[in-house]
Amino acid sequence: MQIKIFALEKQHVIFKDLGIINYKDAWDYQEELLKKNLEIKSEARKAENLEPSAPDSYQDNLHQISTINYLLFCEHPSVYTLGKSGHIENVLLSEREMAEKEVEFFRTNRGGDITFHGLQQLVGYPILDLEKFKTGVSRYLHDLEEVIILTIAEYGIKGDRSKGETGVWIDPEKPGVERKICAMGIRCSRWITMHGFALNVNTDLSYFNNIIPCGIANKKVTSIEKELGHKVDLEEVKEKVKMNFEKVFHATLN
């Protein structure tokens, strides 16, 4: 009996490194890209006279939909961001104190609770059409975690998942020493994603002392620098994340 093996077509993803950019500017840019993709999907449905209630027909015509996938990298000046289901009491600073420390604050439309973004932290924002990747939100988050787990493994750091909690952790099964190295929070609209992950590379972790990170009390945060005892090249980390993103998502970045 002859067995036929079909290789899945690699998805094309446009990569952009935005450098150091204010949080709001990056957020606005993501919203712009997401909106354009939603408009493309809407027009495609109209052209094919397809209704949202016909997923099989829609899947068959995905090749005709010209949504554009992106992976954005950036660093943000110091900022705290609160997810749509987050609790403001997890912010331990007043507005005045944040102003004194020159730290911005935003309530966002991503999932998750409170987190910190700062320099030497690699923030990744994938704007992906999950229907083209034939995956759902849970699997997407799992794959994002896998990208980071593979990346930090190249530095000899064993990353893992913590049951019921998103992101990448170290020693999640060891109470008292578990620590998060990468936070994640996304938004998904009609299968188009935005927001993403924040990997602590050489990040100043003292800023996390002013919040209850991700709303999880009594658990610490860490960075590649802290785990290794020395700084690493952020540009090198970016290249490793890009390589592992291509591998996990079966994509081509350019």
Side-chain angles (χ1 to χ4, degrees):
M1 180 176 63
Q2 186 178 10
I3 300 176
K4 293 183 179 180
I5 299 175
F6 297 93
L8 291 175
E9 180 182 354
K10 285 192 174 183
Q11 290 298 321
H12 174 224
V13 179
I14 296 174
F15 171 75
K16 293 188 177 184
D17 190 335
L18 305 180
I20 298 174
I21 181 173
N22 288 332
Y23 183 82
K24 186 62 167 59
D25 291 337
W27 186 5
D28 288 345
Y29 184 47
Q30 291 181 76
E31 292 282 6
E32 177 186 328
L33 297 179
L34 180 137
K35 181 181 178 182
K36 287 180 179 178
N37 274 331
L38 291 180
E39 290 172 351
I40 290 169
K41 278 198 165 187
S42 179
E43 290 303 314
R45 286 186 186 276
K46 291 177 183 177
E48 294 296 321
N49 195 27
L50 294 172
E51 296 296 329
S53 59
D56 293 337
S57 299
Y58 186 51
Q59 286 289 339
D60 291 340
N61 286 273
L62 275 176
H63 65 281
Q64 299 179 9
I65 301 177
S66 54
T67 47
I68 303 172
N69 299 307
Y70 294 88
L71 175 61
L72 311 177
F73 278 0
C74 64
E75 295 174 72
H76 294 309
S78 299
V79 58
Y80 293 117
T81 66
L82 184 67
K84 60 185 179 182
S85 58
H87 302 280
I88 192 64
E89 57 266 28
N90 291 324
V91 182
L92 308 180
L93 292 177
S94 66
E95 290 185 10
R96 179 183 59 79
E97 289 171 321
M98 280 191 278
E100 290 174 353
K101 293 178 179 292
E102 299 183 332
V103 182
E104 289 191 293
F105 172 79
F106 289 97
R107 293 177 181 268
T108 77
N109 58 358
R110 63 162 172 79
D113 207 286
I114 188 74
T115 195
F116 167 76
H117 298 307
L119 300 182
Q120 289 293 299
Q121 179 192 69
L122 175 55
V123 178
Y125 294 133
I127 315 296
L128 305 182
D129 184 347
L130 295 187
E131 289 188 294
K132 285 191 169 182
F133 286 84
K134 301 187 185 302
T135 190
V137 174
S138 295
R139 182 67 197 187
Y140 169 62
L141 282 168
H142 182 279
D143 287 345
L144 268 189
E145 290 166 346
E146 188 65 19
V147 170
I148 302 303
I149 288 171
L150 291 174
T151 298
I152 63 178
E154 296 187 46
Y155 291 94
I157 302 171
K158 186 180 184 304
D160 209 341
R161 298 174 179 85
S162 181
K163 187 176 180 179
E165 298 168 333
T166 60
V168 177
W169 297 75
I170 299 173
D171 295 326
E173 303 300 325
K174 297 180 181 179
V177 297
E178 67 269 63
R179 52 213 185 273
K180 180 178 272 190
I181 195 168
C182 182
M184 292 185 182
I186 68 165
R187 177 191 174 203
C188 188
S189 178
R190 288 180 58 186
W191 303 109
I192 305 293
T193 68
M194 63 178 288
H195 299 295
F197 66 85
L199 173 61
N200 295 326
V201 181
N202 305 309
T203 319
D204 183 349
L205 300 178
S206 67
Y207 285 92
F208 287 96
N209 296 332
N210 302 316
I211 60 175
I212 300 175
C214 303
I216 305 171
N218 304 318
K219 291 189 178 181
K220 300 177 181 179
V221 293
T222 189
S223 65
I224 295 177
E225 177 189 14
K226 185 172 182 179
E227 294 300 312
L228 298 181
H230 60 80
K231 292 184 181 296
V232 296
D233 184 352
L234 180 60
E235 295 304 315
E236 178 185 84
V237 175
K238 290 179 182 179
E239 291 304 313
K240 293 181 185 299
V241 172
K242 287 168 63 179
M243 178 188 68
N244 288 312
F245 183 93
E246 287 184 319
K247 182 188 304 180
V248 172
F249 284 91
H250 197 66
T252 300
L253 293 175
N254 57 26

mmCIF file of all heavy atoms in Angstrom, residues 115-156:
data_model
loop_
_atom_site.group_PDB
_atom_site.id
_atom_site.type_symbol
_atom_site.label_atom_id
_atom_site.label_comp_id
_atom_site.label_asym_id
_atom_site.label_seq_id
_atom_site.Cartn_x
_atom_site.Cartn_y
_atom_site.Cartn_z
ATOM 1 N N THR A 115 1.514 43.487 34.043
ATOM 2 C CA THR A 115 2.905 43.125 33.803
ATOM 3 C C THR A 115 3.708 44.385 33.534
ATOM 4 O O THR A 115 3.164 45.488 33.431
ATOM 5 C CB THR A 115 3.047 42.115 32.639
ATOM 6 O OG1 THR A 115 4.368 41.543 32.683
ATOM 7 C CG2 THR A 115 2.848 42.784 31.288
ATOM 8 N N PHE A 116 5.017 44.204 33.415
ATOM 9 C CA PHE A 116 5.938 45.317 33.175
ATOM 10 C C PHE A 116 6.677 45.095 31.869
ATOM 11 O O PHE A 116 7.052 43.964 31.536
ATOM 12 C CB PHE A 116 6.954 45.418 34.320
ATOM 13 C CG PHE A 116 8.118 46.330 34.015
ATOM 14 C CD1 PHE A 116 7.970 47.709 34.052
ATOM 15 C CD2 PHE A 116 9.363 45.808 33.667
ATOM 16 C CE1 PHE A 116 9.030 48.557 33.760
ATOM 17 C CE2 PHE A 116 10.433 46.640 33.370
ATOM 18 C CZ PHE A 116 10.264 48.024 33.418
ATOM 19 N N HIS A 117 6.872 46.178 31.120
ATOM 20 C CA HIS A 117 7.734 46.154 29.936
ATOM 21 C C HIS A 117 8.817 47.198 30.124
ATOM 22 O O HIS A 117 8.542 48.316 30.598
ATOM 23 C CB HIS A 117 6.950 46.484 28.670
ATOM 24 C CG HIS A 117 5.861 45.514 28.359
ATOM 25 N ND1 HIS A 117 6.071 44.157 28.262
ATOM 26 C CD2 HIS A 117 4.536 45.700 28.121
ATOM 27 C CE1 HIS A 117 4.936 43.545 27.965
ATOM 28 N NE2 HIS A 117 3.981 44.472 27.891
ATOM 29 N N GLY A 118 10.040 46.842 29.758
ATOM 30 C CA GLY A 118 11.139 47.792 29.877
ATOM 31 C C GLY A 118 12.253 47.456 28.902
ATOM 32 O O GLY A 118 12.171 46.491 28.131
ATOM 33 N N LEU A 119 13.281 48.248 28.928
ATOM 34 C CA LEU A 119 14.408 48.047 28.023
ATOM 35 C C LEU A 119 15.091 46.710 28.311
ATOM 36 O O LEU A 119 15.060 46.207 29.439
ATOM 37 C CB LEU A 119 15.404 49.193 28.166
ATOM 38 C CG LEU A 119 14.860 50.591 27.850
ATOM 39 C CD1 LEU A 119 15.966 51.633 27.980
ATOM 40 C CD2 LEU A 119 14.247 50.638 26.455
ATOM 41 N N GLN A 120 15.669 46.156 27.264
ATOM 42 C CA GLN A 120 16.345 44.854 27.332
ATOM 43 C C GLN A 120 15.377 43.708 27.653
ATOM 44 O O GLN A 120 15.765 42.658 28.138
ATOM 45 C CB GLN A 120 17.503 44.878 28.317
ATOM 46 C CG GLN A 120 18.696 45.702 27.849
ATOM 47 C CD GLN A 120 19.387 45.087 26.642
ATOM 48 O OE1 GLN A 120 19.883 43.971 26.700
ATOM 49 N NE2 GLN A 120 19.426 45.825 25.530
ATOM 50 N N GLN A 121 14.114 43.957 27.354
ATOM 51 C CA GLN A 121 13.102 42.899 27.377
ATOM 52 C C GLN A 121 12.637 42.745 25.930
ATOM 53 O O GLN A 121 12.315 43.736 25.273
ATOM 54 C CB GLN A 121 11.923 43.286 28.269
ATOM 55 C CG GLN A 121 10.804 42.245 28.323
ATOM 56 C CD GLN A 121 9.548 42.805 28.989
ATOM 57 O OE1 GLN A 121 8.878 43.674 28.424
ATOM 58 N NE2 GLN A 121 9.246 42.332 30.187
ATOM 59 N N LEU A 122 12.618 41.525 25.431
ATOM 60 C CA LEU A 122 12.181 41.302 24.056
ATOM 61 C C LEU A 122 10.667 41.105 24.036
ATOM 62 O O LEU A 122 10.153 40.123 24.561
ATOM 63 C CB LEU A 122 12.870 40.076 23.458
ATOM 64 C CG LEU A 122 12.400 39.670 22.049
ATOM 65 C CD1 LEU A 122 12.522 40.835 21.073
ATOM 66 C CD2 LEU A 122 13.178 38.465 21.550
ATOM 67 N N VAL A 123 9.984 42.067 23.431
ATOM 68 C CA VAL A 123 8.533 41.991 23.294
ATOM 69 C C VAL A 123 8.220 41.569 21.867
ATOM 70 O O VAL A 123 8.735 42.148 20.901
ATOM 71 C CB VAL A 123 7.873 43.345 23.606
ATOM 72 C CG1 VAL A 123 6.366 43.261 23.411
ATOM 73 C CG2 VAL A 123 8.200 43.769 25.034
ATOM 74 N N GLY A 124 7.380 40.545 21.731
ATOM 75 C CA GLY A 124 6.996 40.049 20.413
ATOM 76 C C GLY A 124 5.496 40.148 20.220
ATOM 77 O O GLY A 124 4.725 39.720 21.084
ATOM 78 N N TYR A 125 5.090 40.739 19.091
ATOM 79 C CA TYR A 125 3.670 40.889 18.772
ATOM 80 C C TYR A 125 3.372 40.175 17.448
ATOM 81 O O TYR A 125 3.551 40.752 16.371
ATOM 82 C CB TYR A 125 3.306 42.368 18.638
ATOM 83 C CG TYR A 125 3.413 43.170 19.910
ATOM 84 C CD1 TYR A 125 4.058 44.401 19.918
ATOM 85 C CD2 TYR A 125 2.853 42.714 21.106
ATOM 86 C CE1 TYR A 125 4.139 45.173 21.075
ATOM 87 C CE2 TYR A 125 2.932 43.475 22.264
ATOM 88 C CZ TYR A 125 3.582 44.698 22.244
ATOM 89 O OH TYR A 125 3.667 45.443 23.394
ATOM 90 N N PRO A 126 2.908 38.937 17.484
ATOM 91 C CA PRO A 126 2.498 38.270 16.244
ATOM 92 C C PRO A 126 1.090 38.717 15.836
ATOM 93 O O PRO A 126 0.161 38.663 16.640
ATOM 94 C CB PRO A 126 2.507 36.779 16.613
ATOM 95 C CG PRO A 126 3.220 36.690 17.946
ATOM 96 C CD PRO A 126 2.940 38.003 18.614
ATOM 97 N N ILE A 127 0.957 39.171 14.610
ATOM 98 C CA ILE A 127 -0.350 39.489 14.035
ATOM 99 C C ILE A 127 -0.609 38.382 13.016
ATOM 100 O O ILE A 127 -0.185 38.465 11.858
ATOM 101 C CB ILE A 127 -0.364 40.872 13.345
ATOM 102 C CG1 ILE A 127 0.321 41.934 14.213
ATOM 103 C CG2 ILE A 127 -1.790 41.269 12.983
ATOM 104 C CD1 ILE A 127 -0.355 42.229 15.520
ATOM 105 N N LEU A 128 -1.271 37.327 13.455
ATOM 106 C CA LEU A 128 -1.415 36.128 12.627
ATOM 107 C C LEU A 128 -2.880 35.808 12.369
ATOM 108 O O LEU A 128 -3.731 36.013 13.231
ATOM 109 C CB LEU A 128 -0.772 34.921 13.315
ATOM 110 C CG LEU A 128 0.699 35.032 13.751
ATOM 111 C CD1 LEU A 128 1.140 33.710 14.373
ATOM 112 C CD2 LEU A 128 1.590 35.409 12.580
ATOM 113 N N ASP A 129 -3.150 35.270 11.185
ATOM 114 C CA ASP A 129 -4.464 34.731 10.869
ATOM 115 C C ASP A 129 -4.425 33.247 11.233
ATOM 116 O O ASP A 129 -3.885 32.424 10.491
ATOM 117 C CB ASP A 129 -4.751 34.912 9.375
ATOM 118 C CG ASP A 129 -6.151 34.447 8.988
ATOM 119 O OD1 ASP A 129 -6.792 33.759 9.821
ATOM 120 O OD2 ASP A 129 -6.592 34.751 7.869
ATOM 121 N N LEU A 130 -4.977 32.905 12.384
ATOM 122 C CA LEU A 130 -4.875 31.537 12.882
ATOM 123 C C LEU A 130 -5.565 30.535 11.961
ATOM 124 O O LEU A 130 -5.210 29.352 11.959
ATOM 125 C CB LEU A 130 -5.457 31.437 14.293
ATOM 126 C CG LEU A 130 -4.721 32.216 15.391
ATOM 127 C CD1 LEU A 130 -5.317 31.873 16.755
ATOM 128 C CD2 LEU A 130 -3.219 31.919 15.382
ATOM 129 N N GLU A 131 -6.540 30.992 11.180
ATOM 130 C CA GLU A 131 -7.199 30.069 10.252
ATOM 131 C C GLU A 131 -6.215 29.576 9.196
ATOM 132 O O GLU A 131 -6.292 28.432 8.750
ATOM 133 C CB GLU A 131 -8.399 30.743 9.603
ATOM 134 C CG GLU A 131 -9.552 30.941 10.593
ATOM 135 C CD GLU A 131 -10.809 31.436 9.930
ATOM 136 O OE1 GLU A 131 -10.801 32.570 9.424
ATOM 137 O OE2 GLU A 131 -11.796 30.692 9.923
ATOM 138 N N LYS A 132 -5.290 30.429 8.803
ATOM 139 C CA LYS A 132 -4.282 30.001 7.833
ATOM 140 C C LYS A 132 -3.289 29.031 8.453
ATOM 141 O O LYS A 132 -2.690 28.205 7.768
ATOM 142 C CB LYS A 132 -3.545 31.220 7.266
ATOM 143 C CG LYS A 132 -4.364 32.003 6.260
ATOM 144 C CD LYS A 132 -3.521 33.028 5.536
ATOM 145 C CE LYS A 132 -4.286 33.615 4.351
ATOM 146 N NZ LYS A 132 -3.475 34.589 3.598
ATOM 147 N N PHE A 133 -3.105 29.135 9.783
ATOM 148 C CA PHE A 133 -2.195 28.221 10.475
ATOM 149 C C PHE A 133 -2.928 26.966 10.967
ATOM 150 O O PHE A 133 -2.320 26.101 11.586
ATOM 151 C CB PHE A 133 -1.539 28.938 11.658
ATOM 152 C CG PHE A 133 -0.485 29.928 11.252
ATOM 153 C CD1 PHE A 133 -0.835 31.221 10.888
ATOM 154 C CD2 PHE A 133 0.859 29.565 11.213
ATOM 155 C CE1 PHE A 133 0.142 32.141 10.507
ATOM 156 C CE2 PHE A 133 1.829 30.473 10.835
ATOM 157 C CZ PHE A 133 1.469 31.764 10.477
ATOM 158 N N LYS A 134 -4.243 26.932 10.688
ATOM 159 C CA LYS A 134 -5.078 25.777 11.071
ATOM 160 C C LYS A 134 -4.919 25.436 12.556
ATOM 161 O O LYS A 134 -4.639 24.306 12.941
ATOM 162 C CB LYS A 134 -4.742 24.556 10.200
ATOM 163 C CG LYS A 134 -4.956 24.797 8.707
ATOM 164 C CD LYS A 134 -4.785 23.525 7.911
ATOM 165 C CE LYS A 134 -4.871 23.803 6.415
ATOM 166 N NZ LYS A 134 -6.132 24.437 6.012
ATOM 167 N N THR A 135 -5.066 26.454 13.384
ATOM 168 C CA THR A 135 -4.916 26.251 14.824
ATOM 169 C C THR A 135 -5.914 27.107 15.578
ATOM 170 O O THR A 135 -6.499 28.042 15.012
ATOM 171 C CB THR A 135 -3.477 26.580 15.279
ATOM 172 O OG1 THR A 135 -3.297 26.156 16.624
ATOM 173 C CG2 THR A 135 -3.183 28.065 15.177
ATOM 174 N N GLY A 136 -6.129 26.771 16.851
ATOM 175 C CA GLY A 136 -7.003 27.550 17.704
ATOM 176 C C GLY A 136 -6.208 28.362 18.703
ATOM 177 O O GLY A 136 -4.973 28.303 18.724
ATOM 178 N N VAL A 137 -6.887 29.106 19.548
ATOM 179 C CA VAL A 137 -6.215 30.010 20.482
ATOM 180 C C VAL A 137 -5.362 29.245 21.494
ATOM 181 O O VAL A 137 -4.221 29.631 21.772
ATOM 182 C CB VAL A 137 -7.239 30.903 21.206
ATOM 183 C CG1 VAL A 137 -6.566 31.731 22.288
ATOM 184 C CG2 VAL A 137 -7.936 31.826 20.201
ATOM 185 N N SER A 138 -5.898 28.167 22.048
ATOM 186 C CA SER A 138 -5.140 27.406 23.049
ATOM 187 C C SER A 138 -3.857 26.841 22.460
ATOM 188 O O SER A 138 -2.785 26.924 23.074
ATOM 189 C CB SER A 138 -5.994 26.270 23.626
ATOM 190 O OG SER A 138 -7.086 26.785 24.350
ATOM 191 N N ARG A 139 -3.962 26.274 21.267
ATOM 192 C CA ARG A 139 -2.773 25.724 20.616
ATOM 193 C C ARG A 139 -1.792 26.826 20.246
ATOM 194 O O ARG A 139 -0.574 26.660 20.345
ATOM 195 C CB ARG A 139 -3.183 24.936 19.367
ATOM 196 C CG ARG A 139 -2.000 24.282 18.652
ATOM 197 C CD ARG A 139 -1.390 23.180 19.507
ATOM 198 N NE ARG A 139 -0.058 22.819 19.030
ATOM 199 C CZ ARG A 139 0.649 21.804 19.512
ATOM 200 N NH1 ARG A 139 0.124 21.051 20.466
ATOM 201 N NH2 ARG A 139 1.837 21.529 19.046
ATOM 202 N N TYR A 140 -2.330 27.954 19.830
ATOM 203 C CA TYR A 140 -1.477 29.098 19.490
ATOM 204 C C TYR A 140 -0.641 29.521 20.690
ATOM 205 O O TYR A 140 0.578 29.721 20.579
ATOM 206 C CB TYR A 140 -2.352 30.253 19.003
ATOM 207 C CG TYR A 140 -1.639 31.568 18.880
ATOM 208 C CD1 TYR A 140 -0.577 31.741 17.996
ATOM 209 C CD2 TYR A 140 -2.015 32.657 19.672
ATOM 210 C CE1 TYR A 140 0.085 32.958 17.888
ATOM 211 C CE2 TYR A 140 -1.375 33.875 19.569
ATOM 212 C CZ TYR A 140 -0.320 34.017 18.675
ATOM 213 O OH TYR A 140 0.334 35.227 18.580
ATOM 214 N N LEU A 141 -1.266 29.661 21.853
ATOM 215 C CA LEU A 141 -0.527 30.031 23.061
ATOM 216 C C LEU A 141 0.510 28.966 23.420
ATOM 217 O O LEU A 141 1.641 29.288 23.806
ATOM 218 C CB LEU A 141 -1.494 30.246 24.225
ATOM 219 C CG LEU A 141 -2.239 31.575 24.235
ATOM 220 C CD1 LEU A 141 -3.366 31.557 25.256
ATOM 221 C CD2 LEU A 141 -1.286 32.732 24.511
ATOM 222 N N HIS A 142 0.129 27.709 23.269
ATOM 223 C CA HIS A 142 1.055 26.602 23.529
ATOM 224 C C HIS A 142 2.278 26.716 22.615
ATOM 225 O O HIS A 142 3.427 26.533 23.047
ATOM 226 C CB HIS A 142 0.334 25.272 23.306
ATOM 227 C CG HIS A 142 1.165 24.056 23.591
ATOM 228 N ND1 HIS A 142 2.079 23.548 22.674
ATOM 229 C CD2 HIS A 142 1.245 23.248 24.683
ATOM 230 C CE1 HIS A 142 2.663 22.480 23.190
ATOM 231 N NE2 HIS A 142 2.182 22.283 24.408
ATOM 232 N N ASP A 143 2.038 27.031 21.340
ATOM 233 C CA ASP A 143 3.140 27.148 20.382
ATOM 234 C C ASP A 143 4.020 28.359 20.682
ATOM 235 O O ASP A 143 5.248 28.298 20.530
ATOM 236 C CB ASP A 143 2.589 27.235 18.958
ATOM 237 C CG ASP A 143 2.051 25.894 18.462
ATOM 238 O OD1 ASP A 143 2.355 24.864 19.094
ATOM 239 O OD2 ASP A 143 1.344 25.883 17.439
ATOM 240 N N LEU A 144 3.403 29.465 21.108
ATOM 241 C CA LEU A 144 4.199 30.629 21.499
ATOM 242 C C LEU A 144 5.117 30.284 22.665
ATOM 243 O O LEU A 144 6.294 30.665 22.694
ATOM 244 C CB LEU A 144 3.290 31.792 21.910
ATOM 245 C CG LEU A 144 2.864 32.815 20.863
ATOM 246 C CD1 LEU A 144 2.150 33.977 21.543
ATOM 247 C CD2 LEU A 144 4.036 33.306 20.030
ATOM 248 N N GLU A 145 4.575 29.559 23.630
ATOM 249 C CA GLU A 145 5.383 29.114 24.768
ATOM 250 C C GLU A 145 6.520 28.230 24.291
ATOM 251 O O GLU A 145 7.653 28.337 24.779
ATOM 252 C CB GLU A 145 4.502 28.374 25.774
ATOM 253 C CG GLU A 145 3.519 29.271 26.506
ATOM 254 C CD GLU A 145 2.431 28.502 27.242
ATOM 255 O OE1 GLU A 145 2.260 27.294 26.983
ATOM 256 O OE2 GLU A 145 1.740 29.125 28.077
ATOM 257 N N GLU A 146 6.224 27.368 23.333
ATOM 258 C CA GLU A 146 7.251 26.454 22.820
ATOM 259 C C GLU A 146 8.402 27.216 22.163
ATOM 260 O O GLU A 146 9.572 26.833 22.296
ATOM 261 C CB GLU A 146 6.632 25.472 21.824
ATOM 262 C CG GLU A 146 7.547 24.352 21.374
ATOM 263 C CD GLU A 146 7.926 23.396 22.499
ATOM 264 O OE1 GLU A 146 7.230 23.365 23.538
ATOM 265 O OE2 GLU A 146 8.931 22.682 22.337
ATOM 266 N N VAL A 147 8.083 28.286 21.466
ATOM 267 C CA VAL A 147 9.133 29.119 20.848
ATOM 268 C C VAL A 147 10.108 29.612 21.908
ATOM 269 O O VAL A 147 11.331 29.553 21.739
ATOM 270 C CB VAL A 147 8.504 30.311 20.096
ATOM 271 C CG1 VAL A 147 9.587 31.304 19.660
ATOM 272 C CG2 VAL A 147 7.721 29.824 18.885
ATOM 273 N N ILE A 148 9.570 30.088 23.020
ATOM 274 C CA ILE A 148 10.421 30.619 24.087
ATOM 275 C C ILE A 148 11.167 29.494 24.802
ATOM 276 O O ILE A 148 12.354 29.626 25.133
ATOM 277 C CB ILE A 148 9.580 31.431 25.096
ATOM 278 C CG1 ILE A 148 8.854 32.575 24.379
ATOM 279 C CG2 ILE A 148 10.460 31.973 26.218
ATOM 280 C CD1 ILE A 148 9.756 33.523 23.618
ATOM 281 N N ILE A 149 10.502 28.375 25.036
ATOM 282 C CA ILE A 149 11.152 27.236 25.701
ATOM 283 C C ILE A 149 12.350 26.763 24.889
ATOM 284 O O ILE A 149 13.436 26.503 25.440
ATOM 285 C CB ILE A 149 10.126 26.094 25.911
ATOM 286 C CG1 ILE A 149 9.140 26.476 27.012
ATOM 287 C CG2 ILE A 149 10.831 24.788 26.269
ATOM 288 C CD1 ILE A 149 7.958 25.529 27.149
ATOM 289 N N LEU A 150 12.195 26.678 23.568
ATOM 290 C CA LEU A 150 13.298 26.262 22.705
ATOM 291 C C LEU A 150 14.425 27.291 22.717
ATOM 292 O O LEU A 150 15.609 26.940 22.691
ATOM 293 C CB LEU A 150 12.795 26.055 21.272
ATOM 294 C CG LEU A 150 11.869 24.862 21.036
ATOM 295 C CD1 LEU A 150 11.338 24.884 19.602
ATOM 296 C CD2 LEU A 150 12.594 23.548 21.317
ATOM 297 N N THR A 151 14.041 28.570 22.770
ATOM 298 C CA THR A 151 15.045 29.642 22.734
ATOM 299 C C THR A 151 15.910 29.648 23.986
ATOM 300 O O THR A 151 17.144 29.672 23.903
ATOM 301 C CB THR A 151 14.360 31.011 22.558
ATOM 302 O OG1 THR A 151 13.656 31.026 21.305
ATOM 303 C CG2 THR A 151 15.383 32.135 22.581
ATOM 304 N N ILE A 152 15.284 29.615 25.161
ATOM 305 C CA ILE A 152 16.093 29.681 26.382
ATOM 306 C C ILE A 152 16.852 28.381 26.611
ATOM 307 O O ILE A 152 17.898 28.382 27.293
ATOM 308 C CB ILE A 152 15.246 30.065 27.620
ATOM 309 C CG1 ILE A 152 14.178 29.013 27.930
ATOM 310 C CG2 ILE A 152 14.610 31.441 27.411
ATOM 311 C CD1 ILE A 152 13.366 29.323 29.173
ATOM 312 N N ALA A 153 16.382 27.293 26.014
ATOM 313 C CA ALA A 153 17.127 26.027 26.111
ATOM 314 C C ALA A 153 18.486 26.159 25.462
ATOM 315 O O ALA A 153 19.455 25.494 25.873
ATOM 316 C CB ALA A 153 16.336 24.899 25.464
ATOM 317 N N GLU A 154 18.608 27.025 24.472
ATOM 318 C CA GLU A 154 19.896 27.245 23.801
ATOM 319 C C GLU A 154 20.893 27.948 24.719
ATOM 320 O O GLU A 154 22.084 27.994 24.430
ATOM 321 C CB GLU A 154 19.688 28.042 22.519
ATOM 322 C CG GLU A 154 18.848 27.296 21.484
ATOM 323 C CD GLU A 154 18.792 28.008 20.154
ATOM 324 O OE1 GLU A 154 19.863 28.457 19.674
ATOM 325 O OE2 GLU A 154 17.690 28.126 19.570
ATOM 326 N N TYR A 155 20.389 28.480 25.826
ATOM 327 C CA TYR A 155 21.265 29.086 26.838
ATOM 328 C C TYR A 155 21.401 28.185 28.063
ATOM 329 O O TYR A 155 21.902 28.613 29.105
ATOM 330 C CB TYR A 155 20.715 30.453 27.252
ATOM 331 C CG TYR A 155 20.811 31.487 26.148
ATOM 332 C CD1 TYR A 155 19.735 31.720 25.289
ATOM 333 C CD2 TYR A 155 21.989 32.214 25.951
ATOM 334 C CE1 TYR A 155 19.821 32.649 24.268
ATOM 335 C CE2 TYR A 155 22.085 33.148 24.928
ATOM 336 C CZ TYR A 155 20.996 33.364 24.091
ATOM 337 O OH TYR A 155 21.101 34.278 23.075
ATOM 338 N N GLY A 156 20.931 26.954 27.926
ATOM 339 C CA GLY A 156 21.040 26.003 29.033
ATOM 340 C C GLY A 156 19.998 26.203 30.118
ATOM 341 O O GLY A 156 20.161 25.707 31.238
#
